[in-house]
Amino acid sequence: MSGGRFSLCQGLPTGSMLGSLSLLWLVAVTTSLVSKAQILTPQDYEEDDEDDEAVTRPSLAVTCDYDCCRHLQVSCKELQKVGPAACMCPGLSREDQQPDPPRLGEVQIVAEEGCVVVHWCAPFSPVNHYWLLFWESNGAPQRSGPLNATVRRAELKGLKPGGVYVLCVVAANDAGESHVPEADVEGPENWASSSFGPCRKLIMPPRPVILVHAAVGVGTALVLLSCAALVWHFCLREQCSCPRRQGQGKAQASEAL
């Protein structure tokens, strides 16, 4: 009887001790987890939202600052390399294909110097260089020197005043040259006046100096003709008045007799 009581009294303190140890272990583990946990502030939530938006929001691609008609315009690929951000280029034909014809733009005629200033736009094709092709009426075609691929304006000199020319812009790459309409197949009056093709018909006006000389010559001729007409008029008048005077003199002589 007394032994059972002793065993019961000894058992009670032992169970309570184990419960206290378990409680202390649970408190220690909870404390360590809380100390390791990161306290999030409202700023942290805003940063997380911005990061999520940056990941989920697609970047809008912009077109490169490329103008096919701009003089000294570098290629669009070069703009992609040096640009601060990625940009898109217009589609080009393959490098192993002949380039499309350029589009001839404004042609400024300088009659005083007998030259023209030609503007054109690049085709949507890889181009290594350009040149100008021109001929007079039925004459043989003449070619200018090669022009850099960035060039969109050139000056053509030595054109005759009053001459009729056909002017074309030709693009070239490693695969060949752009197509030029044949003058003997289609007359220049049918295709060269188009503002969307590579060629155009030009009529050089006379130089202003020639016009001045012509005007002076015409004026001088008119003055000489006027003077000749006046002299001829006075001569005829004198010739007509002489017979009358002679007739009057004879009449007076007969009356005196």
mmCIF file with all atom_site columns, all heavy atoms in Angstrom, residues 1 4 18 22 26 35 38 40 61 71 81 92 95 114 117 130 145 152 161 167-168 184 196 215 219 223 241 246:
data_model
loop_
_atom_site.group_PDB
_atom_site.id
_atom_site.type_symbol
_atom_site.label_atom_id
_atom_site.label_alt_id
_atom_site.label_comp_id
_atom_site.label_asym_id
_atom_site.label_entity_id
_atom_site.label_seq_id
_atom_site.pdbx_PDB_ins_code
_atom_site.Cartn_x
_atom_site.Cartn_y
_atom_site.Cartn_z
_atom_site.occupancy
_atom_site.B_iso_or_equiv
_atom_site.pdbx_formal_charge
_atom_site.auth_seq_id
_atom_site.auth_comp_id
_atom_site.auth_asym_id
_atom_site.auth_atom_id
_atom_site.pdbx_PDB_model_num
ATOM 1   N N   . MET A 1 1   ? 0.839  -1.192  0.000    1.00 0.00 ? 1   MET A N   1
ATOM 2   C CA  . MET A 1 1   ? 0.000  0.000   0.000    1.00 0.00 ? 1   MET A CA  1
ATOM 3   C C   . MET A 1 1   ? 0.862  1.225   0.000    1.00 0.00 ? 1   MET A C   1
ATOM 4   O O   . MET A 1 1   ? 0.669  2.161   -0.743   1.00 0.00 ? 1   MET A O   1
ATOM 5   C CB  . MET A 1 1   ? -0.912 -0.059  1.239    1.00 0.00 ? 1   MET A CB  1
ATOM 6   C CG  . MET A 1 1   ? -2.193 0.763   1.163    1.00 0.00 ? 1   MET A CG  1
ATOM 7   S SD  . MET A 1 1   ? -3.314 0.230   -0.069   1.00 0.00 ? 1   MET A SD  1
ATOM 8   C CE  . MET A 1 1   ? -4.483 1.500   0.176    1.00 0.00 ? 1   MET A CE  1
ATOM 9   N N   . GLY A 1 4   ? 2.757  1.577   -3.251   1.00 0.00 ? 4   GLY A N   1
ATOM 10  C CA  . GLY A 1 4   ? 2.031  2.130   -4.382   1.00 0.00 ? 4   GLY A CA  1
ATOM 11  C C   . GLY A 1 4   ? 1.898  3.614   -4.298   1.00 0.00 ? 4   GLY A C   1
ATOM 12  O O   . GLY A 1 4   ? 1.970  4.318   -5.280   1.00 0.00 ? 4   GLY A O   1
ATOM 13  N N   . LEU A 1 18  ? 8.572  16.376  -17.686  1.00 0.00 ? 18  LEU A N   1
ATOM 14  C CA  . LEU A 1 18  ? 8.634  16.181  -19.144  1.00 0.00 ? 18  LEU A CA  1
ATOM 15  C C   . LEU A 1 18  ? 7.786  17.204  -19.871  1.00 0.00 ? 18  LEU A C   1
ATOM 16  O O   . LEU A 1 18  ? 8.167  17.732  -20.931  1.00 0.00 ? 18  LEU A O   1
ATOM 17  C CB  . LEU A 1 18  ? 8.159  14.767  -19.495  1.00 0.00 ? 18  LEU A CB  1
ATOM 18  C CG  . LEU A 1 18  ? 9.090  13.619  -19.054  1.00 0.00 ? 18  LEU A CG  1
ATOM 19  C CD1 . LEU A 1 18  ? 8.433  12.280  -19.337  1.00 0.00 ? 18  LEU A CD1 1
ATOM 20  C CD2 . LEU A 1 18  ? 10.422 13.706  -19.744  1.00 0.00 ? 18  LEU A CD2 1
ATOM 21  N N   . SER A 1 22  ? 9.137  19.960  -22.688  1.00 0.00 ? 22  SER A N   1
ATOM 22  C CA  . SER A 1 22  ? 8.536  20.085  -24.031  1.00 0.00 ? 22  SER A CA  1
ATOM 23  C C   . SER A 1 22  ? 8.082  21.505  -24.293  1.00 0.00 ? 22  SER A C   1
ATOM 24  O O   . SER A 1 22  ? 8.244  22.055  -25.392  1.00 0.00 ? 22  SER A O   1
ATOM 25  C CB  . SER A 1 22  ? 7.343  19.121  -24.145  1.00 0.00 ? 22  SER A CB  1
ATOM 26  O OG  . SER A 1 22  ? 7.765  17.790  -23.971  1.00 0.00 ? 22  SER A OG  1
ATOM 27  N N   . LEU A 1 26  ? 9.463  24.026  -27.249  1.00 0.00 ? 26  LEU A N   1
ATOM 28  C CA  . LEU A 1 26  ? 8.561  24.653  -28.207  1.00 0.00 ? 26  LEU A CA  1
ATOM 29  C C   . LEU A 1 26  ? 8.747  26.167  -28.236  1.00 0.00 ? 26  LEU A C   1
ATOM 30  O O   . LEU A 1 26  ? 8.762  26.800  -29.296  1.00 0.00 ? 26  LEU A O   1
ATOM 31  C CB  . LEU A 1 26  ? 7.113  24.296  -27.850  1.00 0.00 ? 26  LEU A CB  1
ATOM 32  C CG  . LEU A 1 26  ? 6.032  24.857  -28.782  1.00 0.00 ? 26  LEU A CG  1
ATOM 33  C CD1 . LEU A 1 26  ? 6.236  24.348  -30.208  1.00 0.00 ? 26  LEU A CD1 1
ATOM 34  C CD2 . LEU A 1 26  ? 4.634  24.467  -28.282  1.00 0.00 ? 26  LEU A CD2 1
ATOM 35  N N   . SER A 1 35  ? 12.892 35.153  -34.820  1.00 0.00 ? 35  SER A N   1
ATOM 36  C CA  . SER A 1 35  ? 14.087 35.980  -35.012  1.00 0.00 ? 35  SER A CA  1
ATOM 37  C C   . SER A 1 35  ? 14.604 35.913  -36.438  1.00 0.00 ? 35  SER A C   1
ATOM 38  O O   . SER A 1 35  ? 15.168 36.877  -36.958  1.00 0.00 ? 35  SER A O   1
ATOM 39  C CB  . SER A 1 35  ? 15.175 35.548  -34.026  1.00 0.00 ? 35  SER A CB  1
ATOM 40  O OG  . SER A 1 35  ? 15.543 34.199  -34.287  1.00 0.00 ? 35  SER A OG  1
ATOM 41  N N   . GLN A 1 38  ? 11.708 37.778  -41.621  1.00 0.00 ? 38  GLN A N   1
ATOM 42  C CA  . GLN A 1 38  ? 11.940 39.148  -42.072  1.00 0.00 ? 38  GLN A CA  1
ATOM 43  C C   . GLN A 1 38  ? 10.640 39.927  -42.004  1.00 0.00 ? 38  GLN A C   1
ATOM 44  O O   . GLN A 1 38  ? 9.621  39.498  -42.537  1.00 0.00 ? 38  GLN A O   1
ATOM 45  C CB  . GLN A 1 38  ? 12.469 39.158  -43.505  1.00 0.00 ? 38  GLN A CB  1
ATOM 46  C CG  . GLN A 1 38  ? 12.784 40.551  -44.011  1.00 0.00 ? 38  GLN A CG  1
ATOM 47  C CD  . GLN A 1 38  ? 13.324 40.523  -45.414  1.00 0.00 ? 38  GLN A CD  1
ATOM 48  O OE1 . GLN A 1 38  ? 13.392 39.451  -46.004  1.00 0.00 ? 38  GLN A OE1 1
ATOM 49  N NE2 . GLN A 1 38  ? 13.690 41.674  -45.935  1.00 0.00 ? 38  GLN A NE2 1
ATOM 50  N N   . LEU A 1 40  ? 8.235  42.587  -43.123  1.00 0.00 ? 40  LEU A N   1
ATOM 51  C CA  . LEU A 1 40  ? 7.969  43.301  -44.353  1.00 0.00 ? 40  LEU A CA  1
ATOM 52  C C   . LEU A 1 40  ? 7.280  44.612  -44.054  1.00 0.00 ? 40  LEU A C   1
ATOM 53  O O   . LEU A 1 40  ? 6.313  44.669  -43.291  1.00 0.00 ? 40  LEU A O   1
ATOM 54  C CB  . LEU A 1 40  ? 7.091  42.453  -45.286  1.00 0.00 ? 40  LEU A CB  1
ATOM 55  C CG  . LEU A 1 40  ? 7.717  41.140  -45.769  1.00 0.00 ? 40  LEU A CG  1
ATOM 56  C CD1 . LEU A 1 40  ? 6.716  40.385  -46.624  1.00 0.00 ? 40  LEU A CD1 1
ATOM 57  C CD2 . LEU A 1 40  ? 9.000  41.403  -46.533  1.00 0.00 ? 40  LEU A CD2 1
ATOM 58  N N   . ALA A 1 61  ? 8.578  47.477  -78.261  1.00 0.00 ? 61  ALA A N   1
ATOM 59  C CA  . ALA A 1 61  ? 9.673  47.730  -79.202  1.00 0.00 ? 61  ALA A CA  1
ATOM 60  C C   . ALA A 1 61  ? 9.368  48.984  -80.012  1.00 0.00 ? 61  ALA A C   1
ATOM 61  O O   . ALA A 1 61  ? 8.236  49.208  -80.434  1.00 0.00 ? 61  ALA A O   1
ATOM 62  C CB  . ALA A 1 61  ? 9.862  46.536  -80.124  1.00 0.00 ? 61  ALA A CB  1
ATOM 63  N N   . HIS A 1 71  ? 19.773 62.181  -96.323  1.00 0.00 ? 71  HIS A N   1
ATOM 64  C CA  . HIS A 1 71  ? 21.141 62.193  -96.831  1.00 0.00 ? 71  HIS A CA  1
ATOM 65  C C   . HIS A 1 71  ? 22.118 61.808  -95.728  1.00 0.00 ? 71  HIS A C   1
ATOM 66  O O   . HIS A 1 71  ? 21.959 62.202  -94.572  1.00 0.00 ? 71  HIS A O   1
ATOM 67  C CB  . HIS A 1 71  ? 21.469 63.571  -97.387  1.00 0.00 ? 71  HIS A CB  1
ATOM 68  C CG  . HIS A 1 71  ? 22.813 63.679  -98.038  1.00 0.00 ? 71  HIS A CG  1
ATOM 69  N ND1 . HIS A 1 71  ? 23.268 62.789  -98.987  1.00 0.00 ? 71  HIS A ND1 1
ATOM 70  C CD2 . HIS A 1 71  ? 23.824 64.582  -97.858  1.00 0.00 ? 71  HIS A CD2 1
ATOM 71  C CE1 . HIS A 1 71  ? 24.485 63.127  -99.375  1.00 0.00 ? 71  HIS A CE1 1
ATOM 72  N NE2 . HIS A 1 71  ? 24.838 64.200  -98.712  1.00 0.00 ? 71  HIS A NE2 1
ATOM 73  N N   . LYS A 1 81  ? 23.074 48.780  -83.330  1.00 0.00 ? 81  LYS A N   1
ATOM 74  C CA  . LYS A 1 81  ? 24.273 48.495  -82.540  1.00 0.00 ? 81  LYS A CA  1
ATOM 75  C C   . LYS A 1 81  ? 24.606 49.634  -81.577  1.00 0.00 ? 81  LYS A C   1
ATOM 76  O O   . LYS A 1 81  ? 24.993 49.392  -80.434  1.00 0.00 ? 81  LYS A O   1
ATOM 77  C CB  . LYS A 1 81  ? 25.465 48.250  -83.469  1.00 0.00 ? 81  LYS A CB  1
ATOM 78  C CG  . LYS A 1 81  ? 25.330 46.990  -84.320  1.00 0.00 ? 81  LYS A CG  1
ATOM 79  C CD  . LYS A 1 81  ? 26.531 46.831  -85.242  1.00 0.00 ? 81  LYS A CD  1
ATOM 80  C CE  . LYS A 1 81  ? 26.399 45.618  -86.131  1.00 0.00 ? 81  LYS A CE  1
ATOM 81  N NZ  . LYS A 1 81  ? 27.562 45.467  -87.064  1.00 0.00 ? 81  LYS A NZ  1
ATOM 82  N N   . LEU A 1 92  ? 14.148 43.944  -95.066  1.00 0.00 ? 92  LEU A N   1
ATOM 83  C CA  . LEU A 1 92  ? 14.982 44.059  -96.264  1.00 0.00 ? 92  LEU A CA  1
ATOM 84  C C   . LEU A 1 92  ? 14.974 42.735  -97.011  1.00 0.00 ? 92  LEU A C   1
ATOM 85  O O   . LEU A 1 92  ? 14.728 41.672  -96.441  1.00 0.00 ? 92  LEU A O   1
ATOM 86  C CB  . LEU A 1 92  ? 16.419 44.439  -95.890  1.00 0.00 ? 92  LEU A CB  1
ATOM 87  C CG  . LEU A 1 92  ? 16.633 45.750  -95.124  1.00 0.00 ? 92  LEU A CG  1
ATOM 88  C CD1 . LEU A 1 92  ? 18.115 45.924  -94.817  1.00 0.00 ? 92  LEU A CD1 1
ATOM 89  C CD2 . LEU A 1 92  ? 16.103 46.927  -95.922  1.00 0.00 ? 92  LEU A CD2 1
ATOM 90  N N   . GLU A 1 95  ? 20.477 39.287  -98.938  1.00 0.00 ? 95  GLU A N   1
ATOM 91  C CA  . GLU A 1 95  ? 21.729 39.844  -99.434  1.00 0.00 ? 95  GLU A CA  1
ATOM 92  C C   . GLU A 1 95  ? 22.194 39.173  -100.733 1.00 0.00 ? 95  GLU A C   1
ATOM 93  O O   . GLU A 1 95  ? 23.005 39.749  -101.449 1.00 0.00 ? 95  GLU A O   1
ATOM 94  C CB  . GLU A 1 95  ? 22.811 39.714  -98.370  1.00 0.00 ? 95  GLU A CB  1
ATOM 95  C CG  . GLU A 1 95  ? 22.541 40.553  -97.119  1.00 0.00 ? 95  GLU A CG  1
ATOM 96  C CD  . GLU A 1 95  ? 23.672 40.474  -96.129  1.00 0.00 ? 95  GLU A CD  1
ATOM 97  O OE1 . GLU A 1 95  ? 24.642 39.726  -96.403  1.00 0.00 ? 95  GLU A OE1 1
ATOM 98  O OE2 . GLU A 1 95  ? 23.598 41.153  -95.082  1.00 0.00 ? 95  GLU A OE2 1
ATOM 99  N N   . GLY A 1 114 ? 24.754 74.627  -115.589 1.00 0.00 ? 114 GLY A N   1
ATOM 100 C CA  . GLY A 1 114 ? 24.581 73.451  -116.438 1.00 0.00 ? 114 GLY A CA  1
ATOM 101 C C   . GLY A 1 114 ? 24.665 72.150  -115.666 1.00 0.00 ? 114 GLY A C   1
ATOM 102 O O   . GLY A 1 114 ? 25.268 71.179  -116.141 1.00 0.00 ? 114 GLY A O   1
ATOM 103 N N   . VAL A 1 117 ? 20.969 68.757  -109.299 1.00 0.00 ? 117 VAL A N   1
ATOM 104 C CA  . VAL A 1 117 ? 21.154 68.161  -107.978 1.00 0.00 ? 117 VAL A CA  1
ATOM 105 C C   . VAL A 1 117 ? 20.049 67.116  -107.809 1.00 0.00 ? 117 VAL A C   1
ATOM 106 O O   . VAL A 1 117 ? 18.864 67.447  -107.840 1.00 0.00 ? 117 VAL A O   1
ATOM 107 C CB  . VAL A 1 117 ? 21.089 69.216  -106.861 1.00 0.00 ? 117 VAL A CB  1
ATOM 108 C CG1 . VAL A 1 117 ? 21.299 68.561  -105.507 1.00 0.00 ? 117 VAL A CG1 1
ATOM 109 C CG2 . VAL A 1 117 ? 22.135 70.303  -107.102 1.00 0.00 ? 117 VAL A CG2 1
ATOM 110 N N   . TYR A 1 130 ? 25.886 53.382  -104.791 1.00 0.00 ? 130 TYR A N   1
ATOM 111 C CA  . TYR A 1 130 ? 25.004 53.887  -105.844 1.00 0.00 ? 130 TYR A CA  1
ATOM 112 C C   . TYR A 1 130 ? 25.864 54.514  -106.945 1.00 0.00 ? 130 TYR A C   1
ATOM 113 O O   . TYR A 1 130 ? 27.051 54.780  -106.759 1.00 0.00 ? 130 TYR A O   1
ATOM 114 C CB  . TYR A 1 130 ? 24.043 54.959  -105.310 1.00 0.00 ? 130 TYR A CB  1
ATOM 115 C CG  . TYR A 1 130 ? 23.121 54.515  -104.216 1.00 0.00 ? 130 TYR A CG  1
ATOM 116 C CD1 . TYR A 1 130 ? 23.450 54.705  -102.880 1.00 0.00 ? 130 TYR A CD1 1
ATOM 117 C CD2 . TYR A 1 130 ? 21.893 53.935  -104.501 1.00 0.00 ? 130 TYR A CD2 1
ATOM 118 C CE1 . TYR A 1 130 ? 22.599 54.311  -101.864 1.00 0.00 ? 130 TYR A CE1 1
ATOM 119 C CE2 . TYR A 1 130 ? 21.031 53.542  -103.498 1.00 0.00 ? 130 TYR A CE2 1
ATOM 120 C CZ  . TYR A 1 130 ? 21.397 53.735  -102.177 1.00 0.00 ? 130 TYR A CZ  1
ATOM 121 O OH  . TYR A 1 130 ? 20.549 53.345  -101.170 1.00 0.00 ? 130 TYR A OH  1
ATOM 122 N N   . GLY A 1 145 ? 30.786 58.221  -111.009 1.00 0.00 ? 145 GLY A N   1
ATOM 123 C CA  . GLY A 1 145 ? 31.568 57.414  -110.088 1.00 0.00 ? 145 GLY A CA  1
ATOM 124 C C   . GLY A 1 145 ? 30.707 56.805  -108.993 1.00 0.00 ? 145 GLY A C   1
ATOM 125 O O   . GLY A 1 145 ? 29.576 57.237  -108.760 1.00 0.00 ? 145 GLY A O   1
ATOM 126 N N   . ARG A 1 152 ? 22.395 60.165  -100.345 1.00 0.00 ? 152 ARG A N   1
ATOM 127 C CA  . ARG A 1 152 ? 21.060 60.271  -100.931 1.00 0.00 ? 152 ARG A CA  1
ATOM 128 C C   . ARG A 1 152 ? 20.938 61.507  -101.825 1.00 0.00 ? 152 ARG A C   1
ATOM 129 O O   . ARG A 1 152 ? 19.853 61.803  -102.313 1.00 0.00 ? 152 ARG A O   1
ATOM 130 C CB  . ARG A 1 152 ? 19.997 60.354  -99.836  1.00 0.00 ? 152 ARG A CB  1
ATOM 131 C CG  . ARG A 1 152 ? 19.974 59.201  -98.867  1.00 0.00 ? 152 ARG A CG  1
ATOM 132 C CD  . ARG A 1 152 ? 19.507 57.925  -99.504  1.00 0.00 ? 152 ARG A CD  1
ATOM 133 N NE  . ARG A 1 152 ? 19.335 56.877  -98.505  1.00 0.00 ? 152 ARG A NE  1
ATOM 134 C CZ  . ARG A 1 152 ? 20.305 56.069  -98.081  1.00 0.00 ? 152 ARG A CZ  1
ATOM 135 N NH1 . ARG A 1 152 ? 21.513 56.179  -98.619  1.00 0.00 ? 152 ARG A NH1 1
ATOM 136 N NH2 . ARG A 1 152 ? 20.087 55.157  -97.157  1.00 0.00 ? 152 ARG A NH2 1
ATOM 137 N N   . PRO A 1 161 ? 23.150 73.070  -122.292 1.00 0.00 ? 161 PRO A N   1
ATOM 138 C CA  . PRO A 1 161 ? 21.920 73.877  -122.263 1.00 0.00 ? 161 PRO A CA  1
ATOM 139 C C   . PRO A 1 161 ? 20.998 73.488  -123.415 1.00 0.00 ? 161 PRO A C   1
ATOM 140 O O   . PRO A 1 161 ? 21.427 73.345  -124.556 1.00 0.00 ? 161 PRO A O   1
ATOM 141 C CB  . PRO A 1 161 ? 22.435 75.311  -122.408 1.00 0.00 ? 161 PRO A CB  1
ATOM 142 C CG  . PRO A 1 161 ? 23.868 75.267  -122.003 1.00 0.00 ? 161 PRO A CG  1
ATOM 143 C CD  . PRO A 1 161 ? 24.358 73.909  -122.395 1.00 0.00 ? 161 PRO A CD  1
ATOM 144 N N   . LEU A 1 167 ? 17.826 60.463  -116.829 1.00 0.00 ? 167 LEU A N   1
ATOM 145 C CA  . LEU A 1 167 ? 18.656 60.292  -115.640 1.00 0.00 ? 167 LEU A CA  1
ATOM 146 C C   . LEU A 1 167 ? 18.087 59.167  -114.793 1.00 0.00 ? 167 LEU A C   1
ATOM 147 O O   . LEU A 1 167 ? 16.883 59.128  -114.525 1.00 0.00 ? 167 LEU A O   1
ATOM 148 C CB  . LEU A 1 167 ? 18.688 61.598  -114.837 1.00 0.00 ? 167 LEU A CB  1
ATOM 149 C CG  . LEU A 1 167 ? 19.402 61.557  -113.486 1.00 0.00 ? 167 LEU A CG  1
ATOM 150 C CD1 . LEU A 1 167 ? 20.890 61.284  -113.675 1.00 0.00 ? 167 LEU A CD1 1
ATOM 151 C CD2 . LEU A 1 167 ? 19.198 62.880  -112.751 1.00 0.00 ? 167 LEU A CD2 1
ATOM 152 N N   . CYS A 1 168 ? 18.953 58.249  -114.362 1.00 0.00 ? 168 CYS A N   1
ATOM 153 C CA  . CYS A 1 168 ? 18.548 57.111  -113.528 1.00 0.00 ? 168 CYS A CA  1
ATOM 154 C C   . CYS A 1 168 ? 19.504 56.977  -112.343 1.00 0.00 ? 168 CYS A C   1
ATOM 155 O O   . CYS A 1 168 ? 20.687 57.321  -112.444 1.00 0.00 ? 168 CYS A O   1
ATOM 156 C CB  . CYS A 1 168 ? 18.548 55.805  -114.322 1.00 0.00 ? 168 CYS A CB  1
ATOM 157 S SG  . CYS A 1 168 ? 17.424 55.791  -115.742 1.00 0.00 ? 168 CYS A SG  1
ATOM 158 N N   . ASP A 1 184 ? 15.348 51.836  -125.396 1.00 0.00 ? 184 ASP A N   1
ATOM 159 C CA  . ASP A 1 184 ? 14.958 51.430  -126.745 1.00 0.00 ? 184 ASP A CA  1
ATOM 160 C C   . ASP A 1 184 ? 13.706 50.564  -126.750 1.00 0.00 ? 184 ASP A C   1
ATOM 161 O O   . ASP A 1 184 ? 13.085 50.375  -127.789 1.00 0.00 ? 184 ASP A O   1
ATOM 162 C CB  . ASP A 1 184 ? 16.105 50.664  -127.414 1.00 0.00 ? 184 ASP A CB  1
ATOM 163 C CG  . ASP A 1 184 ? 16.583 49.497  -126.568 1.00 0.00 ? 184 ASP A CG  1
ATOM 164 O OD1 . ASP A 1 184 ? 16.100 49.362  -125.424 1.00 0.00 ? 184 ASP A OD1 1
ATOM 165 O OD2 . ASP A 1 184 ? 17.440 48.739  -127.049 1.00 0.00 ? 184 ASP A OD2 1
ATOM 166 N N   . PHE A 1 196 ? 7.952  57.919  -109.050 1.00 0.00 ? 196 PHE A N   1
ATOM 167 C CA  . PHE A 1 196 ? 8.127  56.783  -108.170 1.00 0.00 ? 196 PHE A CA  1
ATOM 168 C C   . PHE A 1 196 ? 9.154  55.790  -108.697 1.00 0.00 ? 196 PHE A C   1
ATOM 169 O O   . PHE A 1 196 ? 9.423  54.795  -108.045 1.00 0.00 ? 196 PHE A O   1
ATOM 170 C CB  . PHE A 1 196 ? 6.784  56.055  -107.966 1.00 0.00 ? 196 PHE A CB  1
ATOM 171 C CG  . PHE A 1 196 ? 5.745  56.913  -107.318 1.00 0.00 ? 196 PHE A CG  1
ATOM 172 C CD1 . PHE A 1 196 ? 4.754  57.515  -108.075 1.00 0.00 ? 196 PHE A CD1 1
ATOM 173 C CD2 . PHE A 1 196 ? 5.753  57.134  -105.959 1.00 0.00 ? 196 PHE A CD2 1
ATOM 174 C CE1 . PHE A 1 196 ? 3.796  58.306  -107.483 1.00 0.00 ? 196 PHE A CE1 1
ATOM 175 C CE2 . PHE A 1 196 ? 4.801  57.929  -105.362 1.00 0.00 ? 196 PHE A CE2 1
ATOM 176 C CZ  . PHE A 1 196 ? 3.808  58.519  -106.118 1.00 0.00 ? 196 PHE A CZ  1
ATOM 177 N N   . ALA A 1 215 ? 18.257 88.293  -126.156 1.00 0.00 ? 215 ALA A N   1
ATOM 178 C CA  . ALA A 1 215 ? 17.374 89.450  -126.024 1.00 0.00 ? 215 ALA A CA  1
ATOM 179 C C   . ALA A 1 215 ? 18.035 90.716  -126.558 1.00 0.00 ? 215 ALA A C   1
ATOM 180 O O   . ALA A 1 215 ? 17.396 91.536  -127.246 1.00 0.00 ? 215 ALA A O   1
ATOM 181 C CB  . ALA A 1 215 ? 16.982 89.633  -124.556 1.00 0.00 ? 215 ALA A CB  1
ATOM 182 N N   . GLY A 1 219 ? 16.711 92.856  -129.681 1.00 0.00 ? 219 GLY A N   1
ATOM 183 C CA  . GLY A 1 219 ? 16.454 94.293  -129.519 1.00 0.00 ? 219 GLY A CA  1
ATOM 184 C C   . GLY A 1 219 ? 17.226 95.130  -130.515 1.00 0.00 ? 219 GLY A C   1
ATOM 185 O O   . GLY A 1 219 ? 16.690 96.088  -131.107 1.00 0.00 ? 219 GLY A O   1
ATOM 186 N N   . VAL A 1 223 ? 15.756 97.600  -133.473 1.00 0.00 ? 223 VAL A N   1
ATOM 187 C CA  . VAL A 1 223 ? 16.142 99.011  -133.628 1.00 0.00 ? 223 VAL A CA  1
ATOM 188 C C   . VAL A 1 223 ? 16.635 99.286  -135.037 1.00 0.00 ? 223 VAL A C   1
ATOM 189 O O   . VAL A 1 223 ? 16.282 100.300 -135.667 1.00 0.00 ? 223 VAL A O   1
ATOM 190 C CB  . VAL A 1 223 ? 17.207 99.377  -132.580 1.00 0.00 ? 223 VAL A CB  1
ATOM 191 C CG1 . VAL A 1 223 ? 17.776 100.773 -132.863 1.00 0.00 ? 223 VAL A CG1 1
ATOM 192 C CG2 . VAL A 1 223 ? 16.610 99.330  -131.177 1.00 0.00 ? 223 VAL A CG2 1
ATOM 193 N N   . SER A 1 241 ? 7.854  113.547 -153.725 1.00 0.00 ? 241 SER A N   1
ATOM 194 C CA  . SER A 1 241 ? 7.716  115.012 -153.755 1.00 0.00 ? 241 SER A CA  1
ATOM 195 C C   . SER A 1 241 ? 8.511  115.647 -154.903 1.00 0.00 ? 241 SER A C   1
ATOM 196 O O   . SER A 1 241 ? 8.183  116.732 -155.384 1.00 0.00 ? 241 SER A O   1
ATOM 197 C CB  . SER A 1 241 ? 8.164  115.617 -152.421 1.00 0.00 ? 241 SER A CB  1
ATOM 198 O OG  . SER A 1 241 ? 9.541  115.315 -152.170 1.00 0.00 ? 241 SER A OG  1
ATOM 199 N N   . GLN A 1 246 ? 8.825  119.342 -159.844 1.00 0.00 ? 246 GLN A N   1
ATOM 200 C CA  . GLN A 1 246 ? 9.172  119.564 -161.243 1.00 0.00 ? 246 GLN A CA  1
ATOM 201 C C   . GLN A 1 246 ? 7.953  119.968 -162.070 1.00 0.00 ? 246 GLN A C   1
ATOM 202 O O   . GLN A 1 246 ? 7.998  120.852 -162.933 1.00 0.00 ? 246 GLN A O   1
ATOM 203 C CB  . GLN A 1 246 ? 9.807  118.299 -161.837 1.00 0.00 ? 246 GLN A CB  1
ATOM 204 C CG  . GLN A 1 246 ? 11.161 117.969 -161.250 1.00 0.00 ? 246 GLN A CG  1
ATOM 205 C CD  . GLN A 1 246 ? 11.733 116.692 -161.806 1.00 0.00 ? 246 GLN A CD  1
ATOM 206 O OE1 . GLN A 1 246 ? 11.064 116.049 -162.636 1.00 0.00 ? 246 GLN A OE1 1
ATOM 207 N NE2 . GLN A 1 246 ? 12.940 116.363 -161.387 1.00 0.00 ? 246 GLN A NE2 1
#
